[in-house]
Short mmCIF file of all heavy atoms in Angstrom, two decimals:
data_model
loop_
_atom_site.label_atom_id
_atom_site.label_comp_id
_atom_site.label_asym_id
_atom_site.label_seq_id
_atom_site.Cartn_x
_atom_site.Cartn_y
_atom_site.Cartn_z
N ALA A 1 19.62 49.45 36.87
CA ALA A 1 18.92 48.22 37.46
C ALA A 1 19.88 47.16 37.79
O ALA A 1 21.09 47.18 37.30
CB ALA A 1 17.92 47.67 36.50
N GLU A 2 19.43 46.15 38.59
CA GLU A 2 20.26 45.10 38.96
C GLU A 2 19.54 43.80 38.57
O GLU A 2 18.46 43.61 38.65
CB GLU A 2 20.35 45.11 40.47
CG GLU A 2 21.30 43.84 41.07
CD GLU A 2 21.37 43.75 42.58
OE1 GLU A 2 20.56 44.67 43.25
OE2 GLU A 2 21.98 42.97 43.06
N VAL A 3 20.41 42.82 37.95
CA VAL A 3 20.03 41.54 37.76
C VAL A 3 20.17 40.85 39.08
O VAL A 3 21.25 40.74 39.71
CB VAL A 3 20.89 40.84 36.68
CG1 VAL A 3 20.44 39.38 36.64
CG2 VAL A 3 20.82 41.46 35.37
N ARG A 4 19.05 40.25 39.67
CA ARG A 4 19.11 39.55 40.90
C ARG A 4 18.58 38.14 40.72
O ARG A 4 17.82 37.78 39.94
CB ARG A 4 18.14 40.23 41.90
CG ARG A 4 18.63 41.64 42.38
CD ARG A 4 17.71 42.06 43.50
NE ARG A 4 18.28 43.37 44.01
CZ ARG A 4 17.65 44.08 45.02
NH1 ARG A 4 16.53 43.70 45.52
NH2 ARG A 4 18.24 45.12 45.44
N THR A 5 19.11 37.27 41.54
CA THR A 5 18.58 35.94 41.82
C THR A 5 18.57 35.15 40.53
O THR A 5 17.53 34.40 40.20
CB THR A 5 17.25 36.08 42.50
OG1 THR A 5 17.28 37.14 43.46
CG2 THR A 5 16.82 34.70 43.14
N LEU A 6 19.56 35.23 39.70
CA LEU A 6 19.56 34.47 38.33
C LEU A 6 20.07 33.08 38.76
O LEU A 6 21.27 32.90 39.31
CB LEU A 6 20.43 35.05 37.35
CG LEU A 6 20.53 34.38 35.96
CD1 LEU A 6 19.15 34.23 35.41
CD2 LEU A 6 21.44 35.13 35.02
N ALA A 7 19.31 32.05 38.55
CA ALA A 7 19.54 30.65 38.91
C ALA A 7 18.76 29.72 38.13
O ALA A 7 17.66 29.92 37.80
CB ALA A 7 19.26 30.52 40.52
N VAL A 8 19.46 28.61 37.82
CA VAL A 8 18.88 27.43 37.09
C VAL A 8 18.82 26.18 37.74
O VAL A 8 19.97 25.90 38.49
CB VAL A 8 19.62 27.46 35.68
CG1 VAL A 8 19.05 26.25 34.88
CG2 VAL A 8 19.57 28.71 34.92
N ASP A 9 17.93 25.51 37.74
CA ASP A 9 17.84 24.03 38.36
C ASP A 9 19.20 23.31 37.88
O ASP A 9 19.47 23.28 36.76
CB ASP A 9 16.62 23.34 37.94
CG ASP A 9 16.46 22.02 38.69
OD1 ASP A 9 17.16 20.98 38.23
OD2 ASP A 9 15.63 21.87 39.55
N ASP A 10 19.87 22.75 38.81
CA ASP A 10 21.07 22.03 38.47
C ASP A 10 20.95 21.07 37.27
O ASP A 10 21.82 20.88 36.50
CB ASP A 10 21.68 21.29 39.62
CG ASP A 10 22.55 22.28 40.60
OD1 ASP A 10 22.94 23.34 40.14
OD2 ASP A 10 22.69 21.87 41.68
N ALA A 11 19.80 20.29 37.20
CA ALA A 11 19.52 19.36 36.20
C ALA A 11 19.55 20.11 34.81
O ALA A 11 19.63 19.37 33.82
CB ALA A 11 18.36 18.57 36.50
N MET A 12 19.23 21.40 34.72
CA MET A 12 19.00 22.01 33.51
C MET A 12 20.26 23.03 33.15
O MET A 12 20.19 23.57 32.13
CB MET A 12 17.78 22.87 33.58
CG MET A 12 16.47 22.14 33.73
SD MET A 12 16.19 20.98 32.33
CE MET A 12 15.83 22.17 31.01
N ARG A 13 21.31 23.00 33.89
CA ARG A 13 22.48 23.76 33.60
C ARG A 13 23.16 23.40 32.35
O ARG A 13 23.17 22.20 32.00
CB ARG A 13 23.40 23.82 34.86
CG ARG A 13 22.97 24.50 36.04
CD ARG A 13 23.97 24.49 37.25
NE ARG A 13 25.18 25.12 36.81
CZ ARG A 13 25.58 26.28 37.20
NH1 ARG A 13 24.94 26.96 38.11
NH2 ARG A 13 26.80 26.69 36.91
N GLY A 14 23.62 24.34 31.67
CA GLY A 14 24.36 24.08 30.39
C GLY A 14 23.41 23.84 29.14
O GLY A 14 23.91 23.41 28.21
N ARG A 15 22.14 24.15 29.32
CA ARG A 15 21.27 23.92 28.29
C ARG A 15 20.66 25.28 27.66
O ARG A 15 19.64 25.34 27.05
CB ARG A 15 19.91 23.13 28.71
CG ARG A 15 20.51 21.71 29.06
CD ARG A 15 19.31 20.89 29.40
NE ARG A 15 19.63 19.61 29.96
CZ ARG A 15 18.91 18.66 30.17
NH1 ARG A 15 17.50 18.71 30.13
NH2 ARG A 15 19.27 17.61 30.72
N GLY A 16 21.32 26.37 28.03
CA GLY A 16 20.86 27.74 27.64
C GLY A 16 19.75 28.32 28.32
O GLY A 16 19.31 29.39 27.94
N VAL A 17 19.34 27.78 29.46
CA VAL A 17 18.24 28.34 30.29
C VAL A 17 18.65 29.66 30.87
O VAL A 17 17.87 30.67 30.74
CB VAL A 17 17.79 27.25 31.33
CG1 VAL A 17 16.70 28.01 32.28
CG2 VAL A 17 17.28 25.98 30.75
N GLY A 18 19.75 29.76 31.47
CA GLY A 18 20.22 31.10 32.17
C GLY A 18 20.42 32.04 31.03
O GLY A 18 20.05 33.20 31.22
N HIS A 19 20.89 31.74 29.88
CA HIS A 19 21.05 32.61 28.76
C HIS A 19 19.76 33.15 28.36
O HIS A 19 19.52 34.42 28.31
CB HIS A 19 21.63 31.95 27.53
CG HIS A 19 21.54 32.70 26.16
ND1 HIS A 19 22.39 33.80 25.99
CD2 HIS A 19 20.65 32.57 25.24
CE1 HIS A 19 22.04 34.28 24.80
NE2 HIS A 19 21.03 33.55 24.38
N ALA A 20 18.68 32.29 28.18
CA ALA A 20 17.40 32.74 27.85
C ALA A 20 16.63 33.67 28.82
O ALA A 20 16.06 34.63 28.62
CB ALA A 20 16.44 31.50 27.64
N ILE A 21 16.88 33.37 30.17
CA ILE A 21 16.40 34.23 31.23
C ILE A 21 17.05 35.52 31.21
O ILE A 21 16.46 36.58 31.19
CB ILE A 21 16.52 33.57 32.57
CG1 ILE A 21 15.66 32.36 32.74
CG2 ILE A 21 16.18 34.48 33.68
CD1 ILE A 21 15.99 31.46 33.88
N LEU A 22 18.45 35.61 31.09
CA LEU A 22 19.09 36.88 31.04
C LEU A 22 18.76 37.75 29.89
O LEU A 22 18.58 38.93 30.05
CB LEU A 22 20.59 36.64 31.15
CG LEU A 22 21.50 37.82 31.23
CD1 LEU A 22 21.11 38.75 32.44
CD2 LEU A 22 22.91 37.45 31.37
N GLU A 23 18.66 37.15 28.64
CA GLU A 23 18.22 37.81 27.51
C GLU A 23 16.87 38.42 27.75
O GLU A 23 16.62 39.63 27.30
CB GLU A 23 18.26 36.94 26.24
CG GLU A 23 19.59 36.60 25.81
CD GLU A 23 20.40 37.91 25.43
OE1 GLU A 23 19.93 38.71 24.74
OE2 GLU A 23 21.59 37.99 25.93
N HIS A 24 15.88 37.79 28.39
CA HIS A 24 14.61 38.25 28.68
C HIS A 24 14.70 39.50 29.66
O HIS A 24 13.99 40.47 29.53
CB HIS A 24 13.74 37.12 29.31
CG HIS A 24 12.26 37.52 29.43
ND1 HIS A 24 11.76 38.21 30.56
CD2 HIS A 24 11.20 37.40 28.52
CE1 HIS A 24 10.50 38.40 30.36
NE2 HIS A 24 10.10 37.90 29.18
N ILE A 25 15.55 39.29 30.68
CA ILE A 25 15.79 40.39 31.64
C ILE A 25 16.35 41.71 30.96
O ILE A 25 15.84 42.82 31.18
CB ILE A 25 16.63 39.98 32.79
CG1 ILE A 25 15.95 38.97 33.54
CG2 ILE A 25 17.11 41.12 33.61
CD1 ILE A 25 16.64 38.21 34.71
N ILE A 26 17.36 41.45 30.11
CA ILE A 26 17.95 42.58 29.30
C ILE A 26 16.90 43.33 28.44
O ILE A 26 16.90 44.55 28.32
CB ILE A 26 19.12 42.15 28.50
CG1 ILE A 26 20.28 41.77 29.54
CG2 ILE A 26 19.60 43.14 27.60
CD1 ILE A 26 21.43 40.99 28.79
N GLU A 27 16.06 42.52 27.80
CA GLU A 27 15.03 43.03 26.96
C GLU A 27 14.12 43.78 27.80
O GLU A 27 13.66 44.94 27.56
CB GLU A 27 14.21 41.91 26.28
CG GLU A 27 13.19 42.31 25.36
CD GLU A 27 12.47 40.99 24.60
OE1 GLU A 27 13.27 40.29 24.17
OE2 GLU A 27 11.32 41.06 24.70
N ARG A 28 13.64 43.34 28.94
CA ARG A 28 12.85 44.03 29.88
C ARG A 28 13.50 45.45 30.31
O ARG A 28 12.75 46.47 30.39
CB ARG A 28 12.49 43.14 31.14
CG ARG A 28 11.50 43.84 32.13
CD ARG A 28 10.14 44.01 31.62
NE ARG A 28 9.39 44.75 32.61
CZ ARG A 28 8.60 45.75 32.28
NH1 ARG A 28 8.41 46.12 31.07
NH2 ARG A 28 7.82 46.33 33.29
N ALA A 29 14.78 45.37 30.55
CA ALA A 29 15.39 46.54 31.02
C ALA A 29 15.33 47.64 29.86
O ALA A 29 15.13 48.81 30.15
CB ALA A 29 17.00 46.26 31.36
N HIS A 30 15.53 47.24 28.72
CA HIS A 30 15.31 48.17 27.52
C HIS A 30 13.95 48.69 27.53
O HIS A 30 13.84 49.97 27.34
CB HIS A 30 15.59 47.41 26.19
CG HIS A 30 17.03 47.22 25.74
ND1 HIS A 30 17.65 48.28 25.35
CD2 HIS A 30 17.83 46.24 25.78
CE1 HIS A 30 18.95 47.94 25.03
NE2 HIS A 30 19.14 46.56 25.21
N GLU A 31 12.94 47.83 27.75
CA GLU A 31 11.55 48.28 27.72
C GLU A 31 11.17 49.37 28.69
O GLU A 31 10.46 50.24 28.43
CB GLU A 31 10.66 47.14 27.78
CG GLU A 31 10.56 46.22 26.73
CD GLU A 31 9.84 44.90 27.00
OE1 GLU A 31 9.27 44.76 28.06
OE2 GLU A 31 9.65 44.07 26.20
N VAL A 32 11.80 49.19 29.89
CA VAL A 32 11.48 50.20 30.95
C VAL A 32 12.38 51.38 30.91
O VAL A 32 12.36 52.29 31.82
CB VAL A 32 11.49 49.48 32.29
CG1 VAL A 32 10.35 48.39 32.48
CG2 VAL A 32 12.69 49.07 32.79
N GLY A 33 13.36 51.50 30.10
CA GLY A 33 14.35 52.58 29.89
C GLY A 33 15.50 52.66 30.64
O GLY A 33 16.05 53.75 30.76
N VAL A 34 15.86 51.49 31.10
CA VAL A 34 17.17 51.49 31.93
C VAL A 34 18.44 51.44 30.83
O VAL A 34 18.33 50.87 29.84
CB VAL A 34 17.25 50.21 32.74
CG1 VAL A 34 18.54 49.83 33.34
CG2 VAL A 34 16.23 50.19 33.80
N ALA A 35 19.45 52.22 31.24
CA ALA A 35 20.62 52.27 30.35
C ALA A 35 21.73 51.37 30.87
O ALA A 35 22.60 51.03 30.09
CB ALA A 35 21.05 53.78 30.40
N ARG A 36 21.75 51.07 32.04
CA ARG A 36 22.75 50.22 32.70
C ARG A 36 22.25 49.17 33.57
O ARG A 36 21.36 49.38 34.35
CB ARG A 36 23.83 51.05 33.41
CG ARG A 36 24.43 52.21 32.62
CD ARG A 36 25.24 53.17 33.43
NE ARG A 36 24.53 53.86 34.48
CZ ARG A 36 24.93 54.20 35.64
NH1 ARG A 36 26.24 54.08 35.91
NH2 ARG A 36 24.20 54.78 36.54
N ILE A 37 22.84 48.08 33.51
CA ILE A 37 22.51 46.89 34.37
C ILE A 37 23.65 46.34 35.07
O ILE A 37 24.79 46.30 34.51
CB ILE A 37 21.83 45.73 33.62
CG1 ILE A 37 20.69 46.12 32.69
CG2 ILE A 37 21.38 44.56 34.57
CD1 ILE A 37 20.12 44.97 31.93
N PHE A 38 23.62 46.08 36.45
CA PHE A 38 24.65 45.59 37.14
C PHE A 38 24.39 44.30 37.81
O PHE A 38 23.22 44.00 38.02
CB PHE A 38 25.38 46.59 38.11
CG PHE A 38 24.87 46.40 39.55
CD1 PHE A 38 25.59 45.84 40.44
CD2 PHE A 38 23.64 47.07 39.99
CE1 PHE A 38 25.09 45.53 41.72
CE2 PHE A 38 23.21 46.94 41.21
CZ PHE A 38 23.93 46.18 42.16
N CYS A 39 25.34 43.45 38.29
CA CYS A 39 25.10 42.31 38.91
C CYS A 39 26.24 42.02 39.95
O CYS A 39 27.32 42.58 39.71
CB CYS A 39 24.80 41.01 38.06
SG CYS A 39 26.32 40.64 37.04
N LEU A 40 25.97 41.37 40.97
CA LEU A 40 27.02 40.76 41.82
C LEU A 40 27.05 39.22 41.68
O LEU A 40 26.03 38.58 41.83
CB LEU A 40 26.67 41.14 43.34
CG LEU A 40 26.68 42.52 43.71
CD1 LEU A 40 26.04 42.75 45.10
CD2 LEU A 40 28.16 43.07 43.70
N THR A 41 28.14 38.69 41.18
CA THR A 41 28.10 37.36 40.70
C THR A 41 29.42 36.63 40.86
O THR A 41 30.43 37.17 40.90
CB THR A 41 27.68 37.25 39.28
OG1 THR A 41 27.51 35.96 38.77
CG2 THR A 41 28.68 38.03 38.34
N PHE A 42 29.37 35.35 40.95
CA PHE A 42 30.59 34.34 40.82
C PHE A 42 30.67 34.06 39.36
O PHE A 42 31.73 33.49 39.06
CB PHE A 42 30.24 33.25 41.73
CG PHE A 42 30.39 33.49 43.08
CD1 PHE A 42 29.25 33.31 43.92
CD2 PHE A 42 31.54 33.86 43.85
CE1 PHE A 42 29.33 33.57 45.33
CE2 PHE A 42 31.62 34.06 45.14
CZ PHE A 42 30.50 33.98 45.93
N GLU A 43 29.63 34.09 38.57
CA GLU A 43 29.61 33.61 37.24
C GLU A 43 30.08 34.68 36.21
O GLU A 43 29.32 35.09 35.36
CB GLU A 43 28.22 33.14 36.82
CG GLU A 43 27.60 32.07 37.83
CD GLU A 43 28.33 30.73 37.70
OE1 GLU A 43 28.98 30.46 36.63
OE2 GLU A 43 28.35 30.01 38.72
N THR A 44 31.30 35.14 36.41
CA THR A 44 31.90 36.18 35.64
C THR A 44 31.99 35.89 34.20
O THR A 44 31.78 36.73 33.28
CB THR A 44 33.23 36.66 36.16
OG1 THR A 44 34.14 35.55 36.13
CG2 THR A 44 33.12 37.36 37.59
N GLU A 45 32.30 34.54 33.76
CA GLU A 45 32.40 34.27 32.47
C GLU A 45 30.99 34.21 31.79
O GLU A 45 30.83 34.70 30.65
CB GLU A 45 33.00 32.92 32.22
CG GLU A 45 34.48 32.83 32.61
CD GLU A 45 35.06 31.48 32.33
OE1 GLU A 45 34.61 30.66 31.55
OE2 GLU A 45 36.10 31.18 32.95
N PHE A 46 30.07 33.76 32.48
CA PHE A 46 28.62 33.77 31.89
C PHE A 46 28.15 35.21 31.65
O PHE A 46 27.69 35.54 30.60
CB PHE A 46 27.63 33.04 32.87
CG PHE A 46 26.17 33.20 32.51
CD1 PHE A 46 25.59 32.46 31.53
CD2 PHE A 46 25.46 34.22 33.23
CE1 PHE A 46 24.35 32.59 31.23
CE2 PHE A 46 24.07 34.33 32.91
CZ PHE A 46 23.48 33.58 31.77
#
């Protein structure tokens, strides 16, 4: 599966919002049986 369109309102950046969204997406991937997730990103550290 692919993580797509992960974005946080600029006023909320740095508050763990992106982390919470990505964790939810990863959990969902587990639920549907996906073994690998990829993304195309500039946010390599994140």
Side-chain angles (χ1 to χ4, degrees):
E2 178 183 5
V3 175
R4 290 185 173 177
T5 321
L6 182 57
V8 175
D9 184 283
D10 276 339
M12 297 300 291
R13 287 180 61 110
R15 298 185 186 186
V17 175
H19 167 78
I21 293 169
L22 185 56
E23 288 300 313
H24 189 272
I25 290 170
I26 292 169
E27 183 179 310
R28 180 69 182 132
H30 278 289
E31 290 171 0
V32 298
V34 171
R36 301 175 299 154
I37 306 174
F38 97 96
C39 63
L40 293 168
T41 186
F42 291 112
E43 303 293 336
T44 55
E45 288 183 26
F46 171 79

